[in-house]
Amino acid sequence: MTSIICAEQGEYAACQCKKHCFQTILDKQHFFSFYRKSEQAGRDRLMEICYPLAHSAGNPRNSEGAFVSLADGSLFFAYSRYSGKHWNDHASADICAIVSKDQGNSWSEPFVLVKNPALNVMSVSFLRLQDGRIALVYLQKSRVPGTDFIDCRPKICFSSDEAQSWSDPIETATCPFLYLVMHNDRLV
């Protein structure tokens, strides 16, 4: 459930500075926050919270997020935002996003990126493709009518305009009812 990105390098693997890097952490109370290395945080605390995604009434959980760097240098972060009373993996959730245009010093208000069309959507991943587009992959869960079975399958969308708009979702698995799992932010 951890995503990491460097605001200067655009990806963590290429980063040598380790001071402009953001990491998401989900704690035991389902409090999801961005952290970054900080010289001011002190010797005992190498990371500072730079954006808390706190849960609240009607929003019992925020989790499974991914970063992508945009061409203008902005950071785009998407995550699962749960709604209602329950926070378990089958509870209602949308994929929301926030954007920073100043290397993570400030962030936009959250907005819905993928509306929940069924049971929930979660486990978002981004991948910058060789042709410059951004791929957005996530899991969509649906209850199979007349059963207790939950169908879970990956969907993929594409953006050709730096996350301003997205293609319609495409199913990546066309098998009958199944339950596929993928970890967020692990596309290669």
Short mmCIF file of all heavy atoms in Angstrom, two decimals, residues 101-134:
data_model
loop_
_atom_site.label_atom_id
_atom_site.label_comp_id
_atom_site.label_asym_id
_atom_site.label_seq_id
_atom_site.Cartn_x
_atom_site.Cartn_y
_atom_site.Cartn_z
N LYS A 101 0.90 21.45 -8.07
CA LYS A 101 1.63 22.15 -9.12
C LYS A 101 2.92 22.78 -8.60
O LYS A 101 3.60 23.49 -9.31
CB LYS A 101 0.74 23.21 -9.77
CG LYS A 101 -0.47 22.59 -10.48
CD LYS A 101 -1.23 23.61 -11.27
CE LYS A 101 -2.39 23.00 -12.00
NZ LYS A 101 -2.05 22.12 -13.09
N ASP A 102 3.24 22.51 -7.30
CA ASP A 102 4.42 23.12 -6.69
C ASP A 102 5.27 22.09 -5.93
O ASP A 102 5.71 22.34 -4.82
CB ASP A 102 4.01 24.27 -5.77
CG ASP A 102 3.07 23.84 -4.66
OD1 ASP A 102 2.80 22.62 -4.51
OD2 ASP A 102 2.59 24.73 -3.93
N GLN A 103 5.47 20.94 -6.54
CA GLN A 103 6.30 19.85 -6.00
C GLN A 103 5.83 19.37 -4.63
O GLN A 103 6.62 18.99 -3.77
CB GLN A 103 7.77 20.26 -5.94
CG GLN A 103 8.36 20.46 -7.31
CD GLN A 103 9.86 20.64 -7.28
OE1 GLN A 103 10.43 21.12 -6.31
NE2 GLN A 103 10.50 20.22 -8.34
N GLY A 104 4.53 19.37 -4.43
CA GLY A 104 3.96 18.80 -3.22
C GLY A 104 3.83 19.73 -2.04
O GLY A 104 3.46 19.31 -0.96
N ASN A 105 4.10 21.02 -2.22
CA ASN A 105 3.93 21.96 -1.11
C ASN A 105 2.46 22.26 -0.84
O ASN A 105 2.08 22.56 0.28
CB ASN A 105 4.70 23.26 -1.38
CG ASN A 105 6.19 23.02 -1.35
OD1 ASN A 105 6.70 22.40 -0.42
ND2 ASN A 105 6.89 23.47 -2.37
N SER A 106 1.63 22.19 -1.88
CA SER A 106 0.19 22.36 -1.71
C SER A 106 -0.50 21.42 -2.70
O SER A 106 0.09 21.00 -3.69
CB SER A 106 -0.23 23.81 -1.95
OG SER A 106 0.05 24.19 -3.29
N TRP A 107 -1.77 21.10 -2.39
CA TRP A 107 -2.52 20.14 -3.19
C TRP A 107 -3.92 20.66 -3.46
O TRP A 107 -4.49 21.40 -2.65
CB TRP A 107 -2.60 18.79 -2.46
CG TRP A 107 -1.27 18.14 -2.32
CD1 TRP A 107 -0.36 18.33 -1.32
CD2 TRP A 107 -0.66 17.22 -3.22
NE1 TRP A 107 0.77 17.58 -1.54
CE2 TRP A 107 0.61 16.88 -2.71
CE3 TRP A 107 -1.08 16.63 -4.42
CZ2 TRP A 107 1.47 16.00 -3.35
CZ3 TRP A 107 -0.23 15.75 -5.06
CH2 TRP A 107 1.02 15.45 -4.53
N SER A 108 -4.47 20.27 -4.59
CA SER A 108 -5.85 20.64 -4.93
C SER A 108 -6.82 19.94 -3.99
O SER A 108 -6.45 19.03 -3.25
CB SER A 108 -6.15 20.22 -6.38
OG SER A 108 -6.24 18.80 -6.48
N GLU A 109 -8.07 20.34 -4.06
CA GLU A 109 -9.12 19.61 -3.36
C GLU A 109 -9.32 18.28 -4.08
O GLU A 109 -9.16 18.20 -5.31
CB GLU A 109 -10.43 20.41 -3.38
CG GLU A 109 -10.42 21.61 -2.47
CD GLU A 109 -10.26 21.24 -1.00
OE1 GLU A 109 -10.96 20.31 -0.55
OE2 GLU A 109 -9.44 21.87 -0.32
N PRO A 110 -9.68 17.23 -3.35
CA PRO A 110 -9.93 15.93 -4.01
C PRO A 110 -11.11 16.01 -4.97
O PRO A 110 -12.08 16.74 -4.73
CB PRO A 110 -10.27 15.00 -2.84
CG PRO A 110 -9.73 15.67 -1.62
CD PRO A 110 -9.79 17.14 -1.89
N PHE A 111 -10.99 15.27 -6.07
CA PHE A 111 -12.09 15.18 -7.03
C PHE A 111 -12.21 13.72 -7.47
O PHE A 111 -11.25 12.96 -7.42
CB PHE A 111 -11.89 16.11 -8.23
CG PHE A 111 -10.61 15.87 -8.99
CD1 PHE A 111 -10.58 15.01 -10.10
CD2 PHE A 111 -9.43 16.50 -8.61
CE1 PHE A 111 -9.41 14.78 -10.80
CE2 PHE A 111 -8.25 16.28 -9.32
CZ PHE A 111 -8.24 15.42 -10.40
N VAL A 112 -13.41 13.32 -7.90
CA VAL A 112 -13.65 11.94 -8.31
C VAL A 112 -13.06 11.72 -9.70
O VAL A 112 -13.39 12.42 -10.65
CB VAL A 112 -15.15 11.60 -8.29
CG1 VAL A 112 -15.39 10.19 -8.82
CG2 VAL A 112 -15.71 11.72 -6.88
N LEU A 113 -12.17 10.75 -9.79
CA LEU A 113 -11.54 10.38 -11.06
C LEU A 113 -12.30 9.23 -11.72
O LEU A 113 -12.57 9.25 -12.91
CB LEU A 113 -10.08 9.99 -10.82
CG LEU A 113 -9.24 9.61 -12.02
CD1 LEU A 113 -9.12 10.77 -13.00
CD2 LEU A 113 -7.86 9.16 -11.57
N VAL A 114 -12.63 8.20 -10.92
CA VAL A 114 -13.41 7.05 -11.41
C VAL A 114 -14.57 6.85 -10.45
O VAL A 114 -14.37 6.50 -9.29
CB VAL A 114 -12.57 5.76 -11.49
CG1 VAL A 114 -13.42 4.59 -11.97
CG2 VAL A 114 -11.36 5.96 -12.38
N LYS A 115 -15.78 7.10 -10.94
CA LYS A 115 -16.98 6.90 -10.12
C LYS A 115 -17.27 5.42 -10.00
O LYS A 115 -17.14 4.67 -10.95
CB LYS A 115 -18.17 7.63 -10.79
CG LYS A 115 -19.44 7.57 -10.01
CD LYS A 115 -19.40 8.55 -8.88
CE LYS A 115 -20.75 8.56 -8.16
NZ LYS A 115 -20.60 8.55 -6.73
N ASN A 116 -17.69 5.02 -8.82
CA ASN A 116 -18.02 3.64 -8.55
C ASN A 116 -19.29 3.24 -9.32
O ASN A 116 -20.37 3.69 -8.98
CB ASN A 116 -18.23 3.49 -7.04
CG ASN A 116 -18.75 2.14 -6.65
OD1 ASN A 116 -18.79 1.21 -7.44
ND2 ASN A 116 -19.16 2.03 -5.40
N PRO A 117 -19.17 2.35 -10.33
CA PRO A 117 -20.35 1.94 -11.07
C PRO A 117 -21.00 0.67 -10.52
O PRO A 117 -22.03 0.23 -11.02
CB PRO A 117 -19.78 1.66 -12.46
CG PRO A 117 -18.42 1.12 -12.18
CD PRO A 117 -17.94 1.87 -10.95
N ALA A 118 -20.38 0.08 -9.51
CA ALA A 118 -20.85 -1.22 -9.02
C ALA A 118 -20.67 -1.28 -7.51
O ALA A 118 -21.13 -0.43 -6.80
CB ALA A 118 -20.09 -2.34 -9.73
N LEU A 119 -19.95 -2.29 -7.03
CA LEU A 119 -19.68 -2.43 -5.61
C LEU A 119 -18.59 -1.45 -5.17
O LEU A 119 -18.78 -0.67 -4.26
CB LEU A 119 -19.25 -3.88 -5.31
CG LEU A 119 -19.19 -4.31 -3.87
CD1 LEU A 119 -20.53 -4.13 -3.19
CD2 LEU A 119 -18.76 -5.77 -3.79
N ASN A 120 -17.42 -1.51 -5.84
CA ASN A 120 -16.40 -0.49 -5.60
C ASN A 120 -15.32 -0.54 -6.67
O ASN A 120 -15.25 -1.46 -7.48
CB ASN A 120 -15.82 -0.55 -4.19
CG ASN A 120 -14.75 -1.59 -3.96
OD1 ASN A 120 -14.14 -2.14 -4.88
ND2 ASN A 120 -14.49 -1.88 -2.71
N VAL A 121 -14.48 0.48 -6.66
CA VAL A 121 -13.28 0.55 -7.49
C VAL A 121 -12.13 0.85 -6.55
O VAL A 121 -12.27 1.64 -5.60
CB VAL A 121 -13.40 1.60 -8.61
CG1 VAL A 121 -14.34 1.13 -9.70
CG2 VAL A 121 -13.85 2.95 -8.10
N MET A 122 -10.98 0.20 -6.77
CA MET A 122 -9.86 0.36 -5.85
C MET A 122 -8.55 -0.08 -6.50
O MET A 122 -8.54 -0.49 -7.66
CB MET A 122 -10.10 -0.45 -4.57
CG MET A 122 -10.17 -1.95 -4.78
SD MET A 122 -10.54 -2.90 -3.29
CE MET A 122 -9.12 -2.58 -2.28
N SER A 123 -7.46 0.02 -5.76
CA SER A 123 -6.13 -0.43 -6.17
C SER A 123 -5.66 0.21 -7.46
O SER A 123 -5.31 -0.45 -8.43
CB SER A 123 -6.08 -1.97 -6.27
OG SER A 123 -6.26 -2.54 -5.01
N VAL A 124 -5.61 1.52 -7.46
CA VAL A 124 -5.23 2.28 -8.66
C VAL A 124 -3.73 2.19 -8.93
O VAL A 124 -2.92 2.13 -8.02
CB VAL A 124 -5.68 3.75 -8.52
CG1 VAL A 124 -5.00 4.43 -7.36
CG2 VAL A 124 -5.46 4.53 -9.78
N SER A 125 -3.39 2.14 -10.21
CA SER A 125 -2.00 2.18 -10.67
C SER A 125 -1.91 3.08 -11.89
O SER A 125 -2.85 3.14 -12.69
CB SER A 125 -1.51 0.78 -11.07
OG SER A 125 -1.48 -0.09 -9.98
N PHE A 126 -0.78 3.77 -12.04
CA PHE A 126 -0.50 4.56 -13.23
C PHE A 126 0.74 3.99 -13.90
O PHE A 126 1.65 3.48 -13.23
CB PHE A 126 -0.20 6.02 -12.89
CG PHE A 126 -1.39 6.80 -12.44
CD1 PHE A 126 -1.44 7.32 -11.16
CD2 PHE A 126 -2.46 7.04 -13.29
CE1 PHE A 126 -2.52 8.05 -10.73
CE2 PHE A 126 -3.55 7.78 -12.88
CZ PHE A 126 -3.58 8.28 -11.60
N LEU A 127 0.81 4.13 -15.21
CA LEU A 127 2.00 3.76 -15.94
C LEU A 127 2.15 4.72 -17.12
O LEU A 127 1.21 4.90 -17.91
CB LEU A 127 1.89 2.32 -16.47
CG LEU A 127 3.11 1.79 -17.22
CD1 LEU A 127 4.33 1.70 -16.30
CD2 LEU A 127 2.81 0.42 -17.82
N ARG A 128 3.32 5.37 -17.21
CA ARG A 128 3.61 6.24 -18.35
C ARG A 128 4.04 5.32 -19.49
O ARG A 128 5.00 4.57 -19.36
CB ARG A 128 4.71 7.22 -17.99
CG ARG A 128 5.19 8.08 -19.13
CD ARG A 128 4.21 9.11 -19.56
NE ARG A 128 3.99 10.12 -18.55
CZ ARG A 128 3.28 11.20 -18.75
NH1 ARG A 128 2.73 11.43 -19.93
NH2 ARG A 128 3.08 12.08 -17.77
N LEU A 129 3.32 5.36 -20.59
CA LEU A 129 3.60 4.48 -21.73
C LEU A 129 4.66 5.09 -22.64
O LEU A 129 4.91 6.30 -22.61
CB LEU A 129 2.31 4.22 -22.51
CG LEU A 129 1.17 3.61 -21.68
CD1 LEU A 129 -0.09 3.49 -22.52
CD2 LEU A 129 1.58 2.26 -21.11
N GLN A 130 5.27 4.28 -23.47
CA GLN A 130 6.33 4.75 -24.36
C GLN A 130 5.84 5.80 -25.35
O GLN A 130 6.59 6.65 -25.77
CB GLN A 130 6.95 3.57 -25.11
CG GLN A 130 7.79 2.70 -24.23
CD GLN A 130 8.44 1.56 -24.98
OE1 GLN A 130 8.13 1.28 -26.13
NE2 GLN A 130 9.36 0.88 -24.31
N ASP A 131 4.55 5.75 -25.70
CA ASP A 131 4.00 6.74 -26.63
C ASP A 131 3.60 8.04 -25.93
O ASP A 131 3.05 8.94 -26.56
CB ASP A 131 2.84 6.17 -27.44
CG ASP A 131 1.63 5.81 -26.59
OD1 ASP A 131 1.60 6.13 -25.38
OD2 ASP A 131 0.68 5.21 -27.14
N GLY A 132 3.85 8.14 -24.62
CA GLY A 132 3.56 9.36 -23.87
C GLY A 132 2.23 9.35 -23.14
O GLY A 132 2.02 10.18 -22.24
N ARG A 133 1.33 8.47 -23.50
CA ARG A 133 0.05 8.40 -22.80
C ARG A 133 0.25 7.89 -21.37
O ARG A 133 1.29 7.31 -21.06
CB ARG A 133 -0.93 7.46 -23.51
CG ARG A 133 -1.38 7.94 -24.87
CD ARG A 133 -2.34 6.95 -25.51
NE ARG A 133 -1.68 5.64 -25.64
CZ ARG A 133 -2.32 4.48 -25.73
NH1 ARG A 133 -3.63 4.43 -25.71
NH2 ARG A 133 -1.64 3.35 -25.84
N ILE A 134 -0.75 8.10 -20.55
CA ILE A 134 -0.76 7.57 -19.20
C ILE A 134 -1.82 6.48 -19.14
O ILE A 134 -2.96 6.70 -19.55
CB ILE A 134 -1.09 8.66 -18.15
CG1 ILE A 134 -0.09 9.80 -18.23
CG2 ILE A 134 -1.14 8.06 -16.75
CD1 ILE A 134 -0.50 11.03 -17.43
#
